[in-house]
Amino acid sequence: EVLGKEQFDTDFSFDEFANNSFTEALSIYGSNFEEKVWFALLGEGYSKEAVAGAMGNFKQESGFRSNNLQDTYESKLGMTDETYTNAVNNGTYTNFANDGAGYGLAQWTFPSRKEALYSYANDMGVGIDDEDMQIRFLIKEIKEKGCTGWQNATSVEEACEAFEREFENAGNPQMGNRLTYAK
């Protein structure tokens, strides 16, 4: 006899499962940072055109270096990519979120976004330059922002321009470079 719906215990509580109690299922793989980003974004279901458009932006922003400190800030702060990253990671530099310097894959610059990146890295127990963490953070931000123009783009060019507009908002976008890299 098949039990009817009313015969099941419906008083089970799922309260023990906090909102963030499950780990992310995102599997990150690739032989270098570019491949990791490519495969992770494709794995999230984004089209090849959309991913190529985003990739052109990342190449322009950071050259696919997870520890990239915005070049103009190296002299302003008197630090290299490595010394800045180490100082933030070991706690001797405490102005990461508010210094105005772009950092990492997407050159996160805005204070709330940099603070979120920093907190995300701390929550994962890794440094701010960790490639896998930055990819996970990137995907989290893309989902939060929506980026519908980018996701729905039908060409690499359209995707590249939409990603810059919806995600990067670069002060000086240098779209010619982004488009060349995306292609």
Side-chain angles (χ1 to χ4, degrees):
E1 175 179 335
V2 176
L3 297 175
K5 191 176 183 182
E6 66 281 344
Q7 293 175 322
F8 288 102
D9 181 7
T10 58
D11 294 330
F12 184 81
S13 171
F14 289 92
D15 293 341
E16 69 183 279
F17 302 108
N19 288 340
N20 297 322
S21 66
F22 297 101
T23 59
E24 296 177 26
L26 178 62
S27 176
I28 297 177
Y29 59 90
S31 62
N32 59 47
F33 199 20
E34 287 178 82
E35 285 185 6
K36 287 180 178 184
V37 173
W38 175 261
F39 290 125
L41 291 175
L42 285 178
E44 287 295 304
Y46 302 116
S47 71
K48 288 180 181 178
E49 292 80 12
V51 175
M55 299 283 284
N57 277 274
F58 301 139
K59 177 74 173 172
Q60 176 64 32
E61 292 290 331
S62 67
F64 283 96
R65 293 190 333 268
S66 66
N67 72 339
N68 185 277
L69 169 63
Q70 184 177 341
D71 293 345
T72 57
Y73 277 81
E74 288 183 9
S75 60
K76 285 181 185 178
L77 297 173
M79 293 189 239
T80 65
D81 295 342
E82 293 77 19
T83 58
Y84 180 82
T85 300
N86 290 338
V88 173
N89 285 341
N90 70 26
T92 58
Y93 182 76
T94 58
N95 198 31
F96 177 72
N98 296 306
D99 62 14
Y103 185 80
L105 174 66
Q107 287 294 279
W108 286 280
T109 307
F110 198 74
S112 62
R113 292 176 79 187
K114 282 183 78 176
E115 180 59 41
L117 175 69
Y118 183 80
S119 294
Y120 197 80
N122 283 337
D123 290 349
M124 289 185 71
V126 298
I128 58 168
D129 57 324
D130 185 85
E131 292 178 355
D132 292 359
M133 177 278 299
Q134 286 190 15
I135 293 168
R136 285 183 166 86
F137 183 75
L138 166 72
I139 290 169
K140 177 181 175 295
E141 273 201 326
I142 288 171
K143 289 178 179 179
E144 289 171 357
K145 287 179 170 286
C147 299
T148 55
W150 169 70
Q151 291 179 49
N152 297 325
T154 57
S155 70
V156 171
E157 296 82 4
E158 182 185 1
C160 184
E161 291 170 358
F163 195 82
E164 191 285 322
R165 184 178 58 252
E166 295 176 348
F167 188 87
E168 291 293 349
N169 286 317
N172 178 11
Q174 299 181 23
M175 283 309 297
N177 290 347
R178 290 171 197 268
L179 290 166
T180 297
Y181 297 144
K183 291 175 189 175

Short mmCIF file of all heavy atoms in Angstrom, two decimals, residues 26-30 32-59 64 105-106 108 131-143 146-147 150-151 159 163 167-168:
data_model
loop_
_atom_site.label_atom_id
_atom_site.label_comp_id
_atom_site.label_asym_id
_atom_site.label_seq_id
_atom_site.Cartn_x
_atom_site.Cartn_y
_atom_site.Cartn_z
N LEU A 26 31.10 24.42 -6.35
CA LEU A 26 31.92 24.87 -7.47
C LEU A 26 33.27 24.17 -7.45
O LEU A 26 34.02 24.26 -6.49
CB LEU A 26 32.11 26.38 -7.40
CG LEU A 26 32.99 27.02 -8.47
CD1 LEU A 26 32.39 26.81 -9.86
CD2 LEU A 26 33.16 28.49 -8.19
N SER A 27 33.56 23.48 -8.51
CA SER A 27 34.85 22.81 -8.66
C SER A 27 35.72 23.68 -9.55
O SER A 27 35.35 24.01 -10.66
CB SER A 27 34.64 21.44 -9.30
OG SER A 27 35.87 20.82 -9.54
N ILE A 28 36.89 24.05 -9.02
CA ILE A 28 37.78 24.92 -9.78
C ILE A 28 38.97 24.10 -10.24
O ILE A 28 39.62 23.44 -9.45
CB ILE A 28 38.22 26.13 -8.94
CG1 ILE A 28 36.98 26.97 -8.60
CG2 ILE A 28 39.27 26.95 -9.67
CD1 ILE A 28 37.26 28.16 -7.73
N TYR A 29 39.21 24.15 -11.55
CA TYR A 29 40.34 23.41 -12.11
C TYR A 29 40.90 24.14 -13.31
O TYR A 29 40.25 25.00 -13.89
CB TYR A 29 39.92 21.99 -12.50
CG TYR A 29 38.80 21.95 -13.52
CD1 TYR A 29 39.08 21.93 -14.88
CD2 TYR A 29 37.47 21.98 -13.12
CE1 TYR A 29 38.05 21.93 -15.81
CE2 TYR A 29 36.44 21.96 -14.05
CZ TYR A 29 36.74 21.94 -15.38
OH TYR A 29 35.73 21.94 -16.31
N GLY A 30 42.10 23.82 -13.65
CA GLY A 30 42.80 24.42 -14.77
C GLY A 30 44.27 24.50 -14.45
O GLY A 30 44.67 24.44 -13.28
N ASN A 32 46.27 27.04 -15.14
CA ASN A 32 46.69 28.41 -14.80
C ASN A 32 45.44 29.21 -14.45
O ASN A 32 44.31 28.73 -14.58
CB ASN A 32 47.49 29.04 -15.94
CG ASN A 32 46.70 29.10 -17.24
OD1 ASN A 32 45.54 29.51 -17.28
ND2 ASN A 32 47.33 28.69 -18.33
N PHE A 33 45.65 30.44 -14.00
CA PHE A 33 44.54 31.27 -13.55
C PHE A 33 43.51 31.50 -14.65
O PHE A 33 42.30 31.44 -14.42
CB PHE A 33 45.10 32.59 -13.01
CG PHE A 33 44.17 33.37 -12.11
CD1 PHE A 33 43.11 32.79 -11.46
CD2 PHE A 33 44.41 34.71 -11.89
CE1 PHE A 33 42.27 33.52 -10.61
CE2 PHE A 33 43.59 35.46 -11.05
CZ PHE A 33 42.52 34.86 -10.41
N GLU A 34 43.98 31.77 -15.86
CA GLU A 34 43.05 32.00 -16.98
C GLU A 34 42.14 30.79 -17.20
O GLU A 34 40.93 30.94 -17.38
CB GLU A 34 43.81 32.32 -18.26
CG GLU A 34 44.41 33.70 -18.26
CD GLU A 34 45.19 33.99 -19.52
OE1 GLU A 34 44.56 34.37 -20.52
OE2 GLU A 34 46.43 33.84 -19.50
N GLU A 35 42.73 29.61 -17.23
CA GLU A 35 41.91 28.40 -17.42
C GLU A 35 40.94 28.20 -16.28
O GLU A 35 39.79 27.82 -16.49
CB GLU A 35 42.81 27.17 -17.57
CG GLU A 35 43.50 27.07 -18.91
CD GLU A 35 44.29 25.78 -19.08
OE1 GLU A 35 44.22 24.89 -18.21
OE2 GLU A 35 44.98 25.67 -20.10
N LYS A 36 41.38 28.46 -15.06
CA LYS A 36 40.49 28.31 -13.90
C LYS A 36 39.27 29.23 -14.04
O LYS A 36 38.14 28.80 -13.80
CB LYS A 36 41.23 28.64 -12.61
CG LYS A 36 42.22 27.60 -12.17
CD LYS A 36 42.89 28.07 -10.88
CE LYS A 36 43.86 27.08 -10.33
NZ LYS A 36 44.42 27.54 -9.03
N VAL A 37 39.50 30.48 -14.42
CA VAL A 37 38.40 31.43 -14.58
C VAL A 37 37.48 30.97 -15.71
O VAL A 37 36.25 30.93 -15.56
CB VAL A 37 38.93 32.86 -14.84
CG1 VAL A 37 37.79 33.81 -15.19
CG2 VAL A 37 39.72 33.37 -13.64
N TRP A 38 38.07 30.60 -16.84
CA TRP A 38 37.29 30.15 -18.01
C TRP A 38 36.38 28.99 -17.64
O TRP A 38 35.17 29.03 -17.86
CB TRP A 38 38.25 29.77 -19.14
CG TRP A 38 37.60 29.19 -20.35
CD1 TRP A 38 37.50 27.86 -20.67
CD2 TRP A 38 36.94 29.89 -21.41
NE1 TRP A 38 36.83 27.70 -21.86
CE2 TRP A 38 36.48 28.93 -22.34
CE3 TRP A 38 36.70 31.23 -21.66
CZ2 TRP A 38 35.79 29.27 -23.49
CZ3 TRP A 38 36.01 31.58 -22.83
CH2 TRP A 38 35.57 30.61 -23.72
N PHE A 39 36.96 27.94 -17.06
CA PHE A 39 36.19 26.73 -16.75
C PHE A 39 35.17 26.98 -15.64
O PHE A 39 34.07 26.43 -15.67
CB PHE A 39 37.10 25.56 -16.40
CG PHE A 39 37.86 25.02 -17.59
CD1 PHE A 39 39.25 24.93 -17.54
CD2 PHE A 39 37.22 24.62 -18.75
CE1 PHE A 39 39.97 24.44 -18.63
CE2 PHE A 39 37.92 24.14 -19.84
CZ PHE A 39 39.29 24.04 -19.78
N ALA A 40 35.51 27.81 -14.66
CA ALA A 40 34.57 28.10 -13.58
C ALA A 40 33.35 28.84 -14.10
O ALA A 40 32.21 28.50 -13.74
CB ALA A 40 35.26 28.90 -12.48
N LEU A 41 33.56 29.84 -14.96
CA LEU A 41 32.43 30.60 -15.49
C LEU A 41 31.59 29.75 -16.44
O LEU A 41 30.35 29.81 -16.41
CB LEU A 41 32.90 31.88 -16.17
CG LEU A 41 33.47 32.95 -15.22
CD1 LEU A 41 34.01 34.14 -16.01
CD2 LEU A 41 32.42 33.40 -14.22
N LEU A 42 32.24 28.95 -17.27
CA LEU A 42 31.48 28.02 -18.12
C LEU A 42 30.69 27.04 -17.26
O LEU A 42 29.54 26.72 -17.56
CB LEU A 42 32.41 27.25 -19.07
CG LEU A 42 32.98 28.00 -20.26
CD1 LEU A 42 33.92 27.09 -21.04
CD2 LEU A 42 31.88 28.54 -21.17
N GLY A 43 31.33 26.57 -16.20
CA GLY A 43 30.68 25.63 -15.29
C GLY A 43 29.46 26.21 -14.59
O GLY A 43 28.56 25.48 -14.19
N GLU A 44 29.43 27.52 -14.47
CA GLU A 44 28.27 28.19 -13.88
C GLU A 44 27.15 28.37 -14.89
O GLU A 44 26.09 28.90 -14.57
CB GLU A 44 28.67 29.55 -13.31
CG GLU A 44 29.48 29.45 -12.03
CD GLU A 44 28.68 28.85 -10.88
OE1 GLU A 44 27.60 29.39 -10.55
OE2 GLU A 44 29.13 27.83 -10.32
N GLY A 45 27.40 27.97 -16.14
CA GLY A 45 26.36 28.02 -17.16
C GLY A 45 26.39 29.23 -18.06
O GLY A 45 25.50 29.42 -18.89
N TYR A 46 27.43 30.07 -17.94
CA TYR A 46 27.52 31.23 -18.81
C TYR A 46 28.02 30.79 -20.19
O TYR A 46 28.82 29.87 -20.31
CB TYR A 46 28.44 32.30 -18.21
CG TYR A 46 27.98 32.74 -16.84
CD1 TYR A 46 28.75 32.52 -15.72
CD2 TYR A 46 26.74 33.36 -16.68
CE1 TYR A 46 28.30 32.92 -14.45
CE2 TYR A 46 26.30 33.76 -15.42
CZ TYR A 46 27.08 33.53 -14.32
OH TYR A 46 26.64 33.92 -13.08
N SER A 47 27.57 31.47 -21.22
CA SER A 47 27.93 31.12 -22.59
C SER A 47 29.41 31.41 -22.85
O SER A 47 30.03 32.22 -22.16
CB SER A 47 27.08 31.91 -23.59
OG SER A 47 27.48 33.28 -23.59
N LYS A 48 29.94 30.79 -23.90
CA LYS A 48 31.34 31.04 -24.29
C LYS A 48 31.53 32.52 -24.65
O LYS A 48 32.58 33.09 -24.36
CB LYS A 48 31.75 30.14 -25.45
CG LYS A 48 31.91 28.70 -25.06
CD LYS A 48 32.32 27.84 -26.23
CE LYS A 48 32.45 26.39 -25.80
NZ LYS A 48 32.80 25.52 -26.93
N GLU A 49 30.53 33.13 -25.29
CA GLU A 49 30.62 34.54 -25.66
C GLU A 49 30.70 35.41 -24.40
O GLU A 49 31.53 36.33 -24.32
CB GLU A 49 29.41 34.96 -26.52
CG GLU A 49 29.37 34.34 -27.89
CD GLU A 49 28.84 32.90 -27.90
OE1 GLU A 49 28.28 32.43 -26.89
OE2 GLU A 49 28.99 32.24 -28.94
N ALA A 50 29.84 35.11 -23.42
CA ALA A 50 29.83 35.88 -22.17
C ALA A 50 31.17 35.72 -21.44
O ALA A 50 31.75 36.71 -20.97
CB ALA A 50 28.67 35.45 -21.28
N VAL A 51 31.64 34.49 -21.36
CA VAL A 51 32.90 34.23 -20.65
C VAL A 51 34.06 34.92 -21.36
O VAL A 51 34.91 35.55 -20.72
CB VAL A 51 33.15 32.72 -20.47
CG1 VAL A 51 34.50 32.46 -19.84
CG2 VAL A 51 32.03 32.09 -19.63
N ALA A 52 34.10 34.85 -22.67
CA ALA A 52 35.17 35.53 -23.42
C ALA A 52 35.13 37.03 -23.17
O ALA A 52 36.17 37.67 -23.00
CB ALA A 52 35.06 35.22 -24.91
N GLY A 53 33.94 37.61 -23.12
CA GLY A 53 33.80 39.04 -22.83
C GLY A 53 34.34 39.39 -21.45
O GLY A 53 35.05 40.39 -21.29
N ALA A 54 34.04 38.57 -20.47
CA ALA A 54 34.57 38.80 -19.12
C ALA A 54 36.08 38.63 -19.11
O ALA A 54 36.80 39.42 -18.48
CB ALA A 54 33.91 37.83 -18.13
N MET A 55 36.57 37.63 -19.82
CA MET A 55 38.01 37.35 -19.85
C MET A 55 38.78 38.54 -20.43
O MET A 55 39.87 38.86 -19.95
CB MET A 55 38.30 36.08 -20.65
CG MET A 55 37.66 34.82 -20.11
SD MET A 55 38.46 34.12 -18.69
CE MET A 55 39.89 33.38 -19.42
N GLY A 56 38.25 39.17 -21.46
CA GLY A 56 38.90 40.35 -22.02
C GLY A 56 39.02 41.46 -20.99
O GLY A 56 40.02 42.18 -20.93
N ASN A 57 38.00 41.58 -20.15
CA ASN A 57 38.02 42.57 -19.08
C ASN A 57 39.08 42.23 -18.04
O ASN A 57 39.84 43.10 -17.61
CB ASN A 57 36.64 42.67 -18.42
CG ASN A 57 35.71 43.58 -19.17
OD1 ASN A 57 35.71 44.77 -18.98
ND2 ASN A 57 34.91 42.99 -20.06
N PHE A 58 39.18 40.98 -17.65
CA PHE A 58 40.16 40.59 -16.62
C PHE A 58 41.60 40.76 -17.12
O PHE A 58 42.48 41.15 -16.37
CB PHE A 58 39.94 39.16 -16.15
CG PHE A 58 38.57 38.93 -15.57
CD1 PHE A 58 37.87 37.77 -15.86
CD2 PHE A 58 37.96 39.87 -14.76
CE1 PHE A 58 36.61 37.55 -15.34
CE2 PHE A 58 36.69 39.67 -14.23
CZ PHE A 58 36.01 38.50 -14.53
N LYS A 59 41.80 40.46 -18.40
CA LYS A 59 43.14 40.65 -18.97
C LYS A 59 43.53 42.12 -18.90
O LYS A 59 44.66 42.45 -18.53
CB LYS A 59 43.15 40.14 -20.42
CG LYS A 59 44.46 40.33 -21.14
CD LYS A 59 45.52 39.39 -20.68
CE LYS A 59 46.76 39.52 -21.56
NZ LYS A 59 47.87 38.76 -21.05
N PHE A 64 45.45 38.86 -15.46
CA PHE A 64 45.23 37.57 -14.81
C PHE A 64 46.27 37.30 -13.71
O PHE A 64 46.78 36.20 -13.58
CB PHE A 64 45.19 36.42 -15.82
CG PHE A 64 43.89 36.36 -16.57
CD1 PHE A 64 43.78 36.96 -17.81
CD2 PHE A 64 42.77 35.75 -16.03
CE1 PHE A 64 42.57 36.94 -18.51
CE2 PHE A 64 41.57 35.73 -16.71
CZ PHE A 64 41.47 36.32 -17.95
N LEU A 105 42.13 40.02 -9.55
CA LEU A 105 41.63 39.65 -10.87
C LEU A 105 40.78 40.74 -11.50
O LEU A 105 41.01 41.13 -12.64
CB LEU A 105 40.79 38.36 -10.78
CG LEU A 105 40.07 37.90 -12.04
CD1 LEU A 105 41.08 37.49 -13.11
CD2 LEU A 105 39.12 36.77 -11.72
N ALA A 106 39.80 41.24 -10.77
CA ALA A 106 38.87 42.23 -11.32
C ALA A 106 39.22 43.65 -10.90
O ALA A 106 38.45 44.57 -11.15
CB ALA A 106 37.44 41.90 -10.87
N TRP A 108 39.31 44.97 -7.90
CA TRP A 108 38.32 45.46 -6.96
C TRP A 108 38.85 46.75 -6.34
O TRP A 108 39.97 46.79 -5.85
CB TRP A 108 38.02 44.41 -5.89
CG TRP A 108 37.20 43.28 -6.42
CD1 TRP A 108 35.84 43.30 -6.61
CD2 TRP A 108 37.64 41.99 -6.83
NE1 TRP A 108 35.42 42.09 -7.10
CE2 TRP A 108 36.51 41.26 -7.25
CE3 TRP A 108 38.89 41.36 -6.88
CZ2 TRP A 108 36.58 39.95 -7.70
CZ3 TRP A 108 38.96 40.06 -7.33
CH2 TRP A 108 37.82 39.37 -7.75
N GLU A 131 43.77 32.46 -5.75
CA GLU A 131 43.05 32.42 -7.03
C GLU A 131 41.66 31.81 -6.91
O GLU A 131 40.69 32.36 -7.43
CB GLU A 131 43.87 31.64 -8.07
CG GLU A 131 45.13 32.33 -8.49
CD GLU A 131 45.95 31.52 -9.49
OE1 GLU A 131 45.60 30.36 -9.81
OE2 GLU A 131 46.97 32.07 -9.97
N ASP A 132 41.56 30.67 -6.25
CA ASP A 132 40.27 30.00 -6.14
C ASP A 132 39.27 30.85 -5.37
O ASP A 132 38.10 30.94 -5.73
CB ASP A 132 40.43 28.63 -5.48
CG ASP A 132 41.20 27.65 -6.35
OD1 ASP A 132 41.61 28.01 -7.48
OD2 ASP A 132 41.41 26.51 -5.90
N MET A 133 39.74 31.51 -4.31
CA MET A 133 38.86 32.39 -3.54
C MET A 133 38.37 33.53 -4.42
O MET A 133 37.18 33.87 -4.40
CB MET A 133 39.62 32.94 -2.32
CG MET A 133 38.83 33.93 -1.47
SD MET A 133 38.81 35.67 -2.06
CE MET A 133 40.53 36.11 -2.02
N GLN A 134 39.27 34.15 -5.19
CA GLN A 134 38.85 35.27 -6.04
C GLN A 134 37.82 34.82 -7.07
O GLN A 134 36.88 35.56 -7.38
CB GLN A 134 40.05 35.92 -6.71
CG GLN A 134 40.86 36.77 -5.76
CD GLN A 134 41.91 37.62 -6.46
OE1 GLN A 134 41.90 37.80 -7.67
NE2 GLN A 134 42.85 38.14 -5.67
N ILE A 135 37.98 33.63 -7.61
CA ILE A 135 37.00 33.12 -8.58
C ILE A 135 35.65 32.92 -7.91
O ILE A 135 34.61 33.31 -8.46
CB ILE A 135 37.50 31.81 -9.24
CG1 ILE A 135 38.73 32.11 -10.11
CG2 ILE A 135 36.39 31.15 -10.05
CD1 ILE A 135 39.48 30.87 -10.57
N ARG A 136 35.65 32.33 -6.74
CA ARG A 136 34.39 32.12 -6.01
C ARG A 136 33.74 33.48 -5.68
O ARG A 136 32.53 33.65 -5.79
CB ARG A 136 34.63 31.31 -4.75
CG ARG A 136 34.85 29.84 -5.03
CD ARG A 136 35.02 29.04 -3.73
NE ARG A 136 34.91 27.63 -3.99
CZ ARG A 136 35.92 26.85 -4.37
NH1 ARG A 136 37.13 27.37 -4.52
NH2 ARG A 136 35.74 25.57 -4.59
N PHE A 137 34.57 34.42 -5.25
CA PHE A 137 34.05 35.75 -4.91
C PHE A 137 33.49 36.44 -6.16
O PHE A 137 32.42 37.05 -6.11
CB PHE A 137 35.15 36.61 -4.27
CG PHE A 137 34.67 37.95 -3.82
CD1 PHE A 137 33.88 38.08 -2.69
CD2 PHE A 137 34.98 39.09 -4.54
CE1 PHE A 137 33.42 39.33 -2.27
CE2 PHE A 137 34.53 40.34 -4.15
CZ PHE A 137 33.75 40.46 -3.00
N LEU A 138 34.19 36.32 -7.26
CA LEU A 138 33.73 36.87 -8.53
C LEU A 138 32.35 36.34 -8.90
O LEU A 138 31.44 37.10 -9.22
CB LEU A 138 34.73 36.52 -9.64
CG LEU A 138 34.27 36.74 -11.08
CD1 LEU A 138 34.20 38.22 -11.39
CD2 LEU A 138 35.19 36.03 -12.05
N ILE A 139 32.18 35.04 -8.82
CA ILE A 139 30.90 34.43 -9.18
C ILE A 139 29.80 34.89 -8.22
O ILE A 139 28.68 35.19 -8.65
CB ILE A 139 31.03 32.90 -9.23
CG1 ILE A 139 31.90 32.52 -10.45
CG2 ILE A 139 29.67 32.22 -9.28
CD1 ILE A 139 32.35 31.08 -10.49
N LYS A 140 30.12 35.00 -6.96
CA LYS A 140 29.17 35.51 -5.96
C LYS A 140 28.74 36.93 -6.35
O LYS A 140 27.54 37.23 -6.35
CB LYS A 140 29.83 35.49 -4.59
CG LYS A 140 29.01 36.06 -3.46
CD LYS A 140 29.83 35.98 -2.17
CE LYS A 140 29.17 36.62 -1.00
NZ LYS A 140 28.97 38.05 -1.09
N GLU A 141 29.69 37.78 -6.69
CA GLU A 141 29.36 39.15 -7.07
C GLU A 141 28.54 39.21 -8.36
O GLU A 141 27.60 39.99 -8.46
CB GLU A 141 30.63 39.99 -7.25
CG GLU A 141 31.12 40.62 -5.99
CD GLU A 141 32.02 41.81 -6.28
OE1 GLU A 141 32.76 41.81 -7.29
OE2 GLU A 141 31.98 42.77 -5.50
N ILE A 142 28.92 38.42 -9.34
CA ILE A 142 28.16 38.40 -10.61
C ILE A 142 26.70 38.04 -10.33
O ILE A 142 25.78 38.67 -10.85
CB ILE A 142 28.78 37.41 -11.62
CG1 ILE A 142 30.11 37.95 -12.16
CG2 ILE A 142 27.82 37.12 -12.76
CD1 ILE A 142 30.90 36.96 -12.99
N LYS A 143 26.49 37.04 -9.49
CA LYS A 143 25.13 36.62 -9.17
C LYS A 143 24.38 37.71 -8.42
O LYS A 143 23.20 37.95 -8.67
CB LYS A 143 25.15 35.32 -8.37
CG LYS A 143 25.56 34.13 -9.22
CD LYS A 143 25.62 32.86 -8.42
CE LYS A 143 26.01 31.69 -9.31
NZ LYS A 143 26.11 30.44 -8.57
N GLY A 146 23.58 40.59 -10.91
CA GLY A 146 22.69 40.22 -12.00
C GLY A 146 23.38 40.20 -13.35
O GLY A 146 23.38 39.19 -14.02
N CYS A 147 23.96 41.30 -13.74
CA CYS A 147 24.71 41.38 -15.01
C CYS A 147 23.94 40.77 -16.17
O CYS A 147 24.47 39.98 -16.96
CB CYS A 147 26.09 40.74 -14.87
SG CYS A 147 27.15 41.49 -13.63
N TRP A 150 25.24 41.26 -19.81
CA TRP A 150 26.40 40.41 -20.06
C TRP A 150 25.96 38.96 -20.29
O TRP A 150 26.37 38.33 -21.25
CB TRP A 150 27.38 40.50 -18.88
CG TRP A 150 28.46 39.47 -18.92
CD1 TRP A 150 29.49 39.42 -19.80
CD2 TRP A 150 28.60 38.34 -18.07
NE1 TRP A 150 30.29 38.32 -19.53
CE2 TRP A 150 29.76 37.65 -18.47
CE3 TRP A 150 27.87 37.85 -16.99
CZ2 TRP A 150 30.20 36.49 -17.84
CZ3 TRP A 150 28.31 36.70 -16.36
CH2 TRP A 150 29.45 36.03 -16.79
N GLN A 151 25.12 38.47 -19.41
CA GLN A 151 24.68 37.07 -19.51
C GLN A 151 23.90 36.80 -20.79
O GLN A 151 23.95 35.70 -21.34
CB GLN A 151 23.79 36.70 -18.31
CG GLN A 151 24.55 36.64 -17.02
CD GLN A 151 23.64 36.29 -15.86
OE1 GLN A 151 22.87 35.35 -15.94
NE2 GLN A 151 23.71 37.06 -14.79
N ALA A 159 29.24 41.13 -25.14
CA ALA A 159 29.50 40.62 -23.79
C ALA A 159 30.61 41.41 -23.11
O ALA A 159 30.52 41.74 -21.93
CB ALA A 159 29.85 39.13 -23.84
N PHE A 163 29.93 43.55 -19.79
CA PHE A 163 30.62 43.20 -18.55
C PHE A 163 31.35 44.42 -17.97
O PHE A 163 31.31 44.66 -16.77
CB PHE A 163 31.60 42.05 -18.75
CG PHE A 163 32.06 41.43 -17.47
CD1 PHE A 163 31.29 40.48 -16.81
CD2 PHE A 163 33.26 41.81 -16.89
CE1 PHE A 163 31.69 39.93 -15.61
CE2 PHE A 163 33.69 41.27 -15.69
CZ PHE A 163 32.90 40.33 -15.05
N PHE A 167 29.75 45.34 -14.53
CA PHE A 167 30.56 44.78 -13.45
C PHE A 167 31.78 45.61 -13.11
O PHE A 167 32.04 45.93 -11.97
CB PHE A 167 30.99 43.34 -13.79
CG PHE A 167 31.65 42.64 -12.64
CD1 PHE A 167 30.88 41.96 -11.71
CD2 PHE A 167 33.02 42.65 -12.49
CE1 PHE A 167 31.48 41.33 -10.63
CE2 PHE A 167 33.63 42.03 -11.43
CZ PHE A 167 32.86 41.36 -10.49
N GLU A 168 32.56 45.95 -14.12
CA GLU A 168 33.83 46.63 -13.87
C GLU A 168 33.70 48.12 -13.60
O GLU A 168 34.31 48.64 -12.69
CB GLU A 168 34.79 46.41 -15.06
CG GLU A 168 35.29 44.99 -15.19
CD GLU A 168 36.20 44.53 -14.07
OE1 GLU A 168 36.65 45.36 -13.25
OE2 GLU A 168 36.47 43.33 -14.00
#
